Amino acid sequence: MAATYDFPSDLLAGQEELRQVQAELSTLLKRLPWSVEPLDGFSDDTGWRLVERPASPGWTDDEQAEVEKLRRREHELVVFVSTHRYWAELAGVDRVHARSRLKHAHGAPPPGGTEPSP
């Protein structure tokens, strides 16, 4: 039988906000040009695979500020979740399993639909 964990509400909220911030940052980075600074496109076929990039107009100041804001918030949330006082209550394998369970507390079930054994 899989162990259940009674996560504090602030830890659950922090993990959920972290998930949302990471998703927003990922979406933003996929939408932005590949280079922060304006650069010419290139094609390189001398390596083990072809690498091509179109010309990049670079990021605007607003885009750079948005990425920085999201990265800063992501860092704050990672520190909050990973250093939360709750983790001191658990040791060894229990802590590892609890951290894994926290990542799926609000989202989809873990891959394969199984939960780790204690």
Side-chain angles (χ1 to χ4, degrees):
M1 183 169 156
T4 58
Y5 302 97
D6 188 23
F7 297 115
S9 60
D10 64 331
L11 180 57
L12 288 167
Q15 178 64 39
E16 183 59 26
E17 185 180 352
L18 175 59
R19 184 181 357 267
Q20 291 170 359
V21 167
Q22 288 172 330
E24 188 176 342
L25 180 59
S26 177
T27 300
L28 176 61
L29 291 173
K30 287 176 185 175
R31 180 178 55 80
L32 293 174
W34 63 272
S35 175
V36 176
E37 300 295 326
L39 288 176
D40 293 334
F42 66 90
S43 178
D44 181 5
D45 61 359
T46 59
W48 62 275
R49 66 182 177 100
L50 176 66
V51 177
E52 294 182 314
R53 295 275 192 256
S56 172
W59 297 358
T60 66
D61 289 341
D62 288 344
E63 290 167 337
Q64 290 181 43
E66 182 66 16
V67 169
E68 178 61 29
K69 181 183 97 174
L70 289 170
R71 285 184 173 157
R72 193 176 317 112
R73 185 61 183 150
E74 178 186 35
H75 181 262
E76 291 168 356
L77 290 164
V78 165
V79 170
F80 172 78
V81 169
S82 64
T83 62
H84 194 279
R85 67 190 175 280
Y86 176 76
W87 303 121
E89 299 173 13
L90 303 169
V93 175
D94 276 343
R95 186 180 298 165
V96 173
H97 288 160
R99 285 181 186 253
S100 180
R101 290 296 308 269
L102 177 65
K103 292 180 181 181
H104 301 284
H106 282 121
T114 60
E115 299 173 355
S117 301

